[in-house]
């Protein structure tokens, strides 16, 4: 208990702190804010205080339609694409997520690297609808499958499921690539020969 008394004495005997106590510090104003006075409710970290979010107010999108949209964000989980522009200056456009599993007919292991290799500013996507959280879902894979004649309802399958032809009847399948994919492959091959 004597140690506790010494600590109290140390605090009492300290010189008062001011702005010159710490040469690199700045004065800080501290205020108490009641959670009931915070816009947005409880005062927690749930985004309160930003004010109402401006929503897209243009024409409704058509589910199943293909859109060419502006890429607005690339992340590990997928790509955000603005499929319909805002109606006025400063108004947000309609944005959806093309999940990494919907980027290509084959598995994409690294979304960011894949998208960087394509070097695209816009992307053709099909609007699939809304997910259970009310967010728009997009698919580049569905567009590619439609171009290859492998869309839903087609007898050809992307994953190899379904009726297979006998080996003797196999013909080489010609798949068309986007120009961005061709450029990325060409660049990779040229870099190997440059070494």
């Amino acid at each position: 208990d004597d140690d506790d008394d010494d600590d109290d004495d140390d605090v009492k005997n300290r010189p008062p702190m001011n702005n010159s106590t710490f040469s690199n510090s700045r004065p800080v104003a501290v205020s108490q804010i009641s959670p009931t006075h915070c816009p947005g409710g409880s005062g927690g970290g749930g985004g309160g205080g930003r004010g109402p979010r401006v929503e897209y107010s243009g024409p409704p999108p058509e589910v199943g339609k293909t859109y060419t949209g502006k890429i607005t964000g690339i992340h590990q989980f997928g790509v955000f694409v603005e499929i319909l522009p805002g109606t006025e200056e400063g108004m947000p456009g309609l944005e959806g997520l093309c999940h990494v599993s919907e980027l290509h007919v084959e598995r994409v292991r690294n979304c960011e690297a894949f998208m960087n290799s394509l070097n695209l500013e816009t992307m053709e996507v099909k609007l699939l609808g809304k997910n259970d959280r009310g967010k728009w879902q997009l698919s580049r894979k569905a567009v590619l499958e439609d171009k290859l004649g492998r869309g839903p309802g087609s007898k050809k399958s992307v994953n190899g499921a379904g009726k297979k032809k006998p080996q003797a009847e196999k013909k080489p399948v010609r798949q068309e690539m986007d120009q961005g994919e061709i450029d990325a492959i060409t660049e990779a091959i040229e870099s190997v020969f440059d070494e």
Side-chain angles (χ1 to χ4, degrees):
D1 285 325
D2 290 335
D3 291 337
D4 291 338
D5 291 338
D6 291 342
D7 289 341
D8 289 340
D9 289 340
D10 288 344
V11 171
K12 289 177 190 172
N13 295 329
R14 280 189 198 145
M17 295 197 317
N18 58 32
N19 287 344
S20 63
T21 304
F22 301 101
S23 61
N24 292 332
S25 68
R26 291 188 230 157
V28 176
V30 178
S31 62
Q32 294 291 327
I33 300 174
S34 167
T36 58
H37 291 93
C38 290
S42 67
R50 288 188 212 150
R53 185 172 178 192
V54 181
E55 299 271 332
Y56 172 76
S57 61
E62 295 177 43
V63 174
K65 183 176 177 182
T66 299
Y67 293 90
T68 299
K70 177 183 171 188
I71 296 171
T72 59
I74 300 172
H75 303 275
Q76 289 180 343
F77 54 84
V79 179
F80 286 99
V81 181
E82 182 181 88
I83 58 171
L84 291 172
T87 53
E88 299 174 19
E89 184 69 31
M91 296 297 289
L94 184 66
E95 188 175 77
L97 173 67
C98 183
H99 189 267
V100 64
S101 64
E102 293 292 330
L103 281 176
H104 197 59
V105 293
E106 295 180 16
R107 182 174 179 209
V108 174
R109 295 179 188 270
N110 184 330
C111 179
E112 293 164 327
F114 177 77
M115 290 306 297
N116 287 335
S117 72
L118 295 179
N119 195 26
L120 300 174
E121 292 180 11
T122 61
M123 186 165 73
E124 242 185 328
V125 290
K126 182 179 275 191
L127 181 61
L128 301 178
K130 286 188 174 184
N131 65 13
D132 56 350
R133 295 169 61 196
K135 304 295 183 189
W136 291 106
Q137 295 178 300
L138 308 172
S139 176
R140 178 176 177 265
K141 177 179 176 178
V143 173
L144 296 173
E145 288 175 335
D146 288 348
K147 287 182 179 180
L148 296 172
R150 298 195 227 176
S154 169
K155 293 182 182 178
K156 295 180 184 176
S157 171
V158 175
N159 298 326
K163 191 173 181 179
K164 294 184 178 180
K165 293 181 180 180
Q167 285 292 103
E169 294 181 21
K170 272 193 175 181
K171 296 179 183 178
V173 177
R174 181 181 166 151
Q175 295 181 357
E176 293 183 33
M177 299 171 111
D178 292 334
Q179 187 60 43
E181 292 170 316
I182 294 169
D183 293 344
I185 293 168
T186 303
E187 186 177 317
I189 292 170
E190 288 173 350
S191 69
V192 170
F193 288 113
D194 289 343
E195 291 178 3

